[in-house]
Amino acid sequence: MNKFLEKIYPFLPGYMHNLFVTGFNLFAYHTRYSRNYRKYRKQFKDNENLSLKELNHIQFNKLMDLLKYSIKHSTFYNEIYKEINIESFTSIEDLHQLPIIDKQILRSNFSDIITISKSDANISKTGGTTGLALEIFEHKDDTRYGYGMLDNFRRKHGYELGKKTAWFSGKNLLTEKDVRNHIFWKTDWWYKVRYYSTFHIQDKYLEYYVKDLIKFRPEYLVGFPSTMNEIATFGLDRKIEFQEGIVKAIFPTAETFTNEMRNNIEAFFKTRAYNQYASSEGAPFIFECNEGNLHMELQSGVFEVLDDKNLPTQVGRLIVTSFTSYGTPLIRYEIGDEIKISDRICKCGNNNPLADEIYGRINDYIFSNETGKINLGNISNCLKGVHGITKFQVLQENADDILIKVVIDNNLYSSKDENIFIQNFRDRVGLHMGINLQYVNNISNVKSGKYRLVINNFNR
Ligand SMILES: [Zn+2]
């Protein structure tokens, strides 16, 4: 939404909001589903049962394409690969000759890494779940390739755009009046998508969510699993009956999907959930199949799992190379997640190798007496519209206030950014919680070596 619309949005009547949501989606979907999208989608459908050997072959060719392109179009990769003879590569293993890139390197070399201008890109503005501000330039064809893959995955479970869907994402589209009237959603009537607010998940409002979901009768649920979990748990605790056979499948995104969440969500909505992994940076995909196994999609990129000495291992740091990163090439990129891979073979017919588990930060949230639990996705979205914050971390010791440690880039950061950042938090924690900002030079990682966006020592 542009600035003008953002300003007038709260003063418009509700039906106008729904019109805006619809119009905004029509525009976004137009770029996403044009040009090569259909071709890609057909390709993934046709390739569904390729042998591992065939998949490895496609993967290697795609890797070589990405490497050659990046050397040609990215100043950064051209420079760091100067001494390496890419043409001599004969297998995926040769990738080990290339250096590993982390978020810090990506951020500080961004203008040399990108291969397209901002005006030609789809911008992915989210900070991800790690607290490091990143703005990824996505090539429009990358977006189509990615959605071709993602939609093929959802199609296997019956989903098509236009089927009635309940969406739980980080967009705050509600006005104070909506909240007073207990309306916690906006509807795109064209595509039959209802966007439920993930900012108002608290006991006193949950019954309105449950009631509306029963009334709306969505065939699919997509979005933050933490939000769906709160709704499902509320329904189960109060023995509210959600009719069987309404929801066909559930697709959790953007957050770690725990077994506990799965049990609650599947029990309440009486259907199956299919997990999926891909971060906001444009990482390659991992999709759950009918057998409940997680397949690492080799047509989307390369997955390496490394130990502390950068040697291949079964459980360790995930290093990704993404075939949907032509705008901002990600080659041997340390994404900040840990996974466990497996040698098992799945009998579903898909021969992409398996991941046993995707580890993530599970209990990371802030608790506000006013607004309830604020999950990691919503916390990391506080960077939206803010320039110059390179890292932040939220600490909570009690229900009354939070401390936010912030590392800034003095050249980019201004008091205006501070105001937006605080306002973004205010929108999430409510009016009464104290928000204390502390500017620091660095924020160190926790013992496991991982970065924690939230450290919550307060048990409500
Ligand atoms: Zn399978």
Side-chain angles (χ1 to χ4, degrees):
M1 247 188 284
N2 73 27
K3 290 227 162 60
F4 173 69
L5 290 179
E6 257 170 50
K7 255 189 201 142
I8 62 165
Y9 184 86
F11 303 105
L12 296 168
Y15 72 92
M16 283 293 281
H17 292 164
N18 292 335
L19 269 180
F20 264 128
V21 172
T22 304
F24 189 70
N25 282 343
L26 282 173
F27 180 74
Y29 290 159
H30 175 72
T31 40
R32 195 181 295 168
Y33 299 121
S34 57
R35 305 266 174 101
N36 287 326
Y37 168 79
R38 279 172 193 284
K39 185 182 97 183
Y40 293 142
R41 204 151 145 197
K42 184 174 182 307
Q43 184 181 319
F44 296 121
K45 186 166 183 272
D46 293 346
N47 290 356
E48 199 54 51
N49 298 106
L50 290 185
S51 68
L52 180 58
K53 203 177 156 201
E54 288 167 314
L55 288 166
N56 281 331
H57 183 71
I58 293 175
Q59 188 191 36
F60 179 70
N61 287 336
K62 287 210 147 284
L63 172 67
M64 293 308 285
D65 288 347
L66 177 67
L67 291 179
K68 285 173 194 164
Y69 172 89
S70 302
I71 289 170
K72 201 170 167 192
H73 297 281
S74 162
T75 318
F76 175 81
Y77 286 107
N78 185 285
E79 181 63 30
I80 65 164
Y81 294 168
K82 224 168 30 194
E83 308 289 322
I84 301 160
N85 182 7
I86 303 282
E87 298 290 341
S88 73
F89 282 16
T90 56
S91 77
I92 289 289
E93 278 68 46
D94 288 320
L95 202 53
H96 298 162
Q97 296 176 40
L98 307 176
I100 291 171
I101 309 299
D102 63 18
K103 271 180 207 199
Q104 194 56 45
I105 297 173
L106 175 64
R107 209 180 54 78
S108 41
N109 295 282
F110 189 75
S111 58
D112 286 336
I113 290 176
I114 50 168
T115 68
I116 50 173
S117 66
K118 194 169 183 171
S119 57
D120 290 330
N122 286 335
I123 309 288
S124 169
K125 261 183 190 168
T126 161
T129 52
T130 58
L132 284 169
L134 277 174
E135 193 181 63
I136 297 290
F137 289 11
E138 212 173 76
H139 197 292
K140 286 184 176 144
D141 202 56
D142 290 339
T143 311
R144 288 166 196 140
Y145 189 82
Y147 272 95
M149 227 170 327
L150 186 61
D151 289 345
N152 181 57
F153 156 67
R154 289 176 179 161
R155 173 200 55 81
K156 280 188 272 181
H157 308 293
Y159 174 84
E160 289 285 345
L161 184 65
K163 294 217 172 175
K164 218 190 246 186
T165 302
W167 209 282
F168 303 88
S169 67
K171 280 182 207 146
N172 191 359
L173 298 164
L174 305 184
T175 60
E176 282 170 33
K177 194 174 160 221
D178 292 325
V179 177
R180 274 200 307 276
N181 293 333
H182 298 141
I183 294 169
F184 301 99
W185 48 85
K186 294 287 167 193
T187 311
D188 170 348
W189 288 112
W190 186 269
Y191 287 111
K192 300 186 192 140
V193 182
R194 182 158 288 178
Y195 294 90
Y196 288 87
S197 168
T198 53
F199 297 90
H200 300 85
I201 296 299
Q202 44 187 309
D203 284 354
K204 64 178 172 183
Y205 297 146
L206 281 169
E207 65 167 296
Y208 301 102
Y209 282 80
V210 173
K211 274 184 191 161
D212 190 70
L213 280 161
I214 289 171
K215 207 170 124 199
F216 182 57
R217 298 167 69 89
E219 286 187 78
Y220 296 91
L221 267 56
V222 184
F224 294 164
S226 59
T227 302
M228 297 184 210
N229 183 45
E230 297 276 340
I231 294 167
T233 309
F234 180 89
L236 290 169
D237 285 351
R238 281 155 190 80
K239 305 210 167 22
I240 300 170
E241 189 66 20
F242 194 94
Q243 197 187 327
E244 191 169 354
I246 302 289
V247 181
K248 305 283 190 305
I250 295 169
F251 302 112
T253 62
E255 291 176 331
T256 307
F257 188 47
T258 66
N259 285 333
E260 191 202 347
M261 289 175 179
R262 183 191 291 276
N263 293 341
N264 295 334
I265 293 170
E266 291 187 343
F268 182 68
F269 293 104
K270 301 185 181 67
T271 189
R272 273 197 61 183
Y274 299 92
N275 198 7
Q276 154 224 319
Y277 171 85
S279 89
S280 51
E281 284 107 306
F285 288 104
I286 301 177
F287 294 126
E288 182 176 333
C289 70
N290 277 324
E291 297 290 324
N293 286 319
L294 296 164
H295 289 267
M296 297 182 279
E297 177 53 75
L298 300 188
Q299 296 171 89
S300 70
V302 183
F303 301 82
E304 296 177 75
V305 184
L306 303 181
D307 65 15
D308 293 343
K309 297 189 181 74
N310 285 343
L311 296 171
T313 179
Q314 293 282 106
V315 187
R317 295 142 55 220
L318 176 63
I319 312 293
V320 298
T321 298
S322 172
F323 301 153
T324 52
S325 69
Y326 277 79
T328 309
L330 300 176
I331 302 167
R332 297 206 89 201
Y333 177 59
E334 174 138 28
I335 195 121
D337 289 314
E338 283 181 29
I339 71 166
K340 182 180 180 191
I341 50 172
S342 164
D343 295 329
R344 288 182 300 120
I345 308 231
C346 185
K347 55 180 186 215
C348 74
N350 187 298
N351 291 301
N352 279 299
L354 301 184
D356 260 348
E357 215 166 328
I358 304 160
Y359 301 107
R361 297 150 285 256
I362 296 162
N363 291 318
D364 293 353
Y365 60 85
I366 309 171
F367 179 77
S368 153
N369 281 332
E370 232 172 303
T371 60
K373 280 183 190 172
I374 301 116
N375 67 39
L376 221 51
N378 275 336
I379 296 166
S380 64
N381 280 341
C382 288
L383 286 174
K384 285 212 168 149
V386 181
H387 297 96
I389 291 186
T390 59
K391 216 174 182 182
F392 78 94
Q393 183 177 57
V394 187
L395 295 99
Q396 183 171 24
E397 302 285 350
N398 56 60
D400 302 325
D401 52 21
I402 49 171
L403 173 68
I404 309 169
K405 288 185 179 177
V406 185
V407 182
I408 56 163
D409 179 338
N410 278 317
N411 296 321
L412 296 171
Y413 192 77
S414 69
S415 61
K416 195 178 144 214
D417 294 303
E418 179 179 272
N419 291 338
I420 297 171
F421 188 56
I422 292 175
Q423 188 56 47
N424 286 346
F425 265 95
R426 189 55 74 205
D427 289 345
R428 287 156 177 82
V429 301
L431 297 174
H432 304 296
M433 189 179 241
I435 300 174
N436 306 304
L437 239 53
Q438 184 187 13
Y439 293 98
V440 294
N441 290 325
N442 193 27
I443 299 166
S444 51
N445 289 0
V446 292
K447 266 186 197 153
S448 68
K450 281 176 129 186
Y451 184 76
R452 296 274 305 273
L453 179 59
V454 173
I455 295 184
N456 190 340
N457 296 318
F458 164 67
N459 296 318
R460 68 157 165 147

